[in-house]
Amino acid sequence: MQQTSGPAAGAFPEEATLLYATLSGPLGDMVAVGEESARAPGGTALVSLSLPGRRRAAVREEWRHAPDAFTALAEQLDAYFDGRRTGFDLAFTPYGDAFERRVWSALEAIPYGTTTTYGALAGHLGVPRGAVRDLGAAIGRNPLLIVRPCHRVIGADGTLKGYAAGVARKEQLLVLEGALPAQLPLS
């Protein structure tokens, strides 16, 4: 993924013209938010991709509906959900503090079809044991669900710990990627 300059932690860029589109997918309607950017291929840098149930999924009145700005994202998501793509090649506008950006960068390095644990990720980043909760909070603030694969981080005991769009969606993504076996429904 290609980064362009970004806004401060926890806020959408105020000076930017924000665009949005609703994209359909097997996990429900996703809300894509982007920023017009001359440095981004196609003229739009992705700011946020939310799934149903995510707090930031609400569309703001001042944003401009522009589905055509998200054609590349929609095509790549379709290919991902069809099993034809294992990663994303998109320009995005990072935001967050230095620690969050460091954690999010580490998420991007987790290979498709694999998982890691919060503890292993903390060890990789040199995060002290007492700051693992901060690491979890940074993962939870990841604005680019699916595209930046925070769903690949699980508990040390193999359980699926929180996901901004719900643990059931996290499980669906991991099954899709082959990191978890599909569960047969009990009759």
Side-chain angles (χ1 to χ4, degrees):
M1 290 191 283
Q2 175 189 350
Q3 293 187 28
T4 62
S5 62
F12 287 110
E14 300 217 4
E15 70 285 350
T17 300
L18 293 183
L19 314 170
Y20 79 94
T22 302
L23 309 172
S24 296
L27 301 180
D29 287 344
M30 299 167 281
V31 176
V33 179
E35 170 184 23
E36 289 182 331
S37 170
R39 294 181 297 213
T44 303
L46 188 63
V47 172
S48 171
L49 180 64
S50 298
L51 294 167
R54 175 93 192 243
R55 285 175 307 197
R56 291 190 181 130
V59 173
R60 295 186 185 169
E61 185 177 301
E62 64 271 17
W63 297 349
R64 183 166 45 98
H65 186 245
D68 292 343
F70 300 96
T71 302
L73 172 62
E75 289 170 354
Q76 290 184 36
L77 284 167
D78 286 345
Y80 169 81
F81 286 122
D82 288 345
R84 297 178 285 117
R85 179 176 271 282
T86 61
F88 297 89
D89 183 24
L90 302 161
F92 65 96
T93 300
Y95 63 97
D97 60 33
F99 179 72
E100 289 170 333
R101 289 191 308 271
R102 199 167 129 233
V103 170
W104 298 342
S105 180
L107 294 175
E108 293 169 15
I110 303 169
Y112 178 92
T114 67
T115 59
T116 192
T117 65
Y118 292 91
L121 191 61
H124 171 74
L125 292 170
V127 172
R129 190 172 198 95
V132 173
R133 283 186 185 259
D134 295 336
L135 176 111
I139 292 170
R141 287 190 294 273
N142 171 22
L144 300 175
L145 298 184
I146 303 172
V147 172
R148 184 183 290 134
C150 57
H151 59 275
R152 296 179 188 153
V153 183
I154 63 173
D157 60 359
T159 59
L160 303 184
K161 304 292 183 187
Y163 185 58
V167 173
R169 286 191 180 90
K170 181 175 192 166
E171 180 179 17
Q172 288 176 284
L173 291 168
L174 292 173
V175 168
L176 170 80
E177 294 184 3
L180 285 179
Q183 300 295 316
L184 296 174
L186 298 176
S187 326

